[in-house]
Amino acid sequence: MISINLSGNLLDGDSAVFSIKNRGFRYGDAIFETIRIVNGNICFLNKHIHRLLEGMRMLKMNIPENFNTDFFQVEISKLILNNSINSGGRVRITIYRDASGYYTPDSNEVAFVIEGFSIPENNYSLNKDGLTIDLYEDEKIIINKLAAIKTNNCLTHVMAGIYKKEKGLDECVMLNELGSIAECISSNLFVGFNGVLYTPSINQGIIPGIMRSVIMELAKENRIEVQETTLNPQVLVRADEVFLTNSINGIKWVGAYRSKRYFSKTSRRLIDLLNMKVTNSMKDLQENPTL
């Protein structure tokens, strides 16, 4: 039986746990993080919890005193053990405002639910065939402070996902209200040109992904120049390489944008460095469990 963790209690994953009045359902009044499991261990939890708490502050949710990395390490580990996630896995933490009221909540107290299940891949692996992408131009990402956090308000991304399916694409590149590249449906985007990596900057309406930050750190540590900047869609025609990053997949390389074809040299190098970083982090935790 697959279980969920509802505010510290393990429940049947198929059970009805929310009221129809739940604010996450009614108004999207919730925030979430999706986290990768490798060898039964949680990856980059500090980064995820830091972003989660920053988002809660932005949404003016009351943050319980015990909400920290150690607390969520314990709560996620309950689920990993109960759901027998011994190798690769995927976990989602959702924090929702646990209050009545209409648009105006009666309080800012919160509750949480954690979901977790196994996935076939243990380590991060690069896709054999490059992804096929194109622009999604029907709806634009609005640049404001809420664009930077992972809320349950995702209709623009949902519509891009439907467009992707209709057109037989693997991913869509989403534009912001200024017409610049922001991100993809579930990933951040990197463009390689003349040995330099470029990625949309924070002020472009992107969600600053956890894997985005990890890949930028790895690139800089290995003398690969990275620039955060404004990217015009025309850059996709000039690029040597394009790849996408998110916490679950790590890196996925793009093979084609319309008639343009790409290489995957840098993404192949970075996926090896990423797996090495994860392995070393797990060793450090085993040797120093208080870290």
Side-chain angles (χ1 to χ4, degrees), residues 134-174:
D134 207 335
L135 300 179
Y136 174 70
E137 302 181 81
D138 292 352
E139 305 293 339
K140 304 296 194 299
I141 292 176
I142 303 301
I143 300 174
N144 59 31
K145 67 179 183 179
L146 295 182
I149 57 178
K150 297 186 73 170
T151 72
N152 282 23
N153 293 278
C154 303
L155 282 179
T156 302
H157 293 72
V158 169
M159 296 308 295
I162 293 171
Y163 179 86
K164 174 192 75 171
K165 187 176 180 180
E166 290 175 342
K167 298 300 181 181
L169 302 166
D170 295 311
E171 249 298 0
C172 283
V173 178
M174 303 179 68

Side-chain angles (χ1 to χ4, degrees), residues 26-140:
R26 280 196 165 181
Y27 305 113
D29 192 2
I31 188 170
F32 72 96
E33 286 288 325
T34 307
I35 304 171
R36 184 69 145 81
I37 306 299
V38 172
N39 288 325
N41 295 300
I42 309 164
C43 295
F44 310 116
L45 185 59
N46 279 326
K47 289 178 178 286
H48 282 287
I49 300 307
H50 175 77
R51 185 172 67 175
L52 184 69
L53 297 181
E54 285 298 306
M56 290 178 69
R57 292 185 187 97
M58 196 177 297
L59 294 178
K60 300 187 183 301
M61 292 176 169
N62 289 344
I63 302 177
E65 290 184 4
N66 62 345
F67 268 31
N68 54 38
T69 300
D70 290 340
F71 172 80
F72 283 104
Q73 175 85 39
V74 170
E75 296 302 324
I76 294 171
S77 295
K78 288 182 188 177
L79 211 56
I80 288 175
L81 180 62
N82 188 80
N83 291 350
S84 301
I85 307 173
N86 300 315
S87 53
R90 177 182 182 130
V91 164
R92 171 173 164 142
I93 305 172
T94 304
I95 309 288
Y96 57 93
R97 206 181 314 261
D98 194 20
S100 56
Y102 295 102
Y103 285 126
T104 305
D106 291 341
S107 83
N108 292 312
E109 299 305 313
V110 299
F112 69 85
V113 62
I114 306 175
E115 306 161 76
F117 53 88
S118 298
I119 59 176
E121 300 82 12
N122 183 28
N123 296 313
Y124 290 106
S125 60
L126 199 65
N127 45 314
K128 181 180 178 182
D129 298 318
L131 305 181
T132 299
I133 65 170
D134 207 335
L135 300 179
Y136 174 70
E137 302 181 81
D138 292 352
E139 305 293 339
K140 304 296 194 299

Side-chain angles (χ1 to χ4, degrees), residues 154-222:
C154 303
L155 282 179
T156 302
H157 293 72
V158 169
M159 296 308 295
I162 293 171
Y163 179 86
K164 174 192 75 171
K165 187 176 180 180
E166 290 175 342
K167 298 300 181 181
L169 302 166
D170 295 311
E171 249 298 0
C172 283
V173 178
M174 303 179 68
L175 306 179
N176 62 31
E177 59 188 304
L178 303 177
S180 300
I181 291 175
E183 58 192 11
C184 294
I185 299 169
S186 59
S187 307
N188 291 116
L189 178 141
F190 286 80
V191 171
F193 182 70
N194 285 345
V196 179
L197 292 179
Y198 301 88
T199 192
S201 52
I202 301 298
N203 63 7
Q204 294 300 298
I206 72 166
I207 293 173
I210 301 304
M211 187 54 62
R212 173 183 181 271
S213 70
V214 171
I215 293 304
M216 290 175 65
E217 291 167 6
L218 283 173
K220 291 173 183 178
E221 288 167 5
N222 290 274

Side-chain angles (χ1 to χ4, degrees), residues 36 121 123-133 169-171 187 241-246 248-256 262-272 274-275:
R36 184 69 145 81
E121 300 82 12
N123 296 313
Y124 290 106
S125 60
L126 199 65
N127 45 314
K128 181 180 178 182
D129 298 318
L131 305 181
T132 299
I133 65 170
L169 302 166
D170 295 311
E171 249 298 0
S187 307
E241 185 167 356
V242 176
F243 61 84
L244 315 179
T245 64
N246 67 30
I248 302 302
N249 295 321
I251 302 171
K252 294 296 181 187
W253 72 282
V254 174
Y262 303 110
F263 300 108
S264 58
K265 180 179 178 181
T266 305
S267 53
R268 292 182 187 281
R269 181 183 177 192
L270 286 169
I271 199 79
D272 290 338
L274 174 61
N275 280 315

Side-chain angles (χ1 to χ4, degrees), residues 272-286:
D272 290 338
L273 292 169
L274 174 61
N275 280 315
M276 191 180 306
K277 182 178 183 69
V278 170
T279 298
N280 291 337
S281 296
M282 299 307 174
K283 287 180 180 178
D284 288 344
L285 283 175
Q286 290 171 0

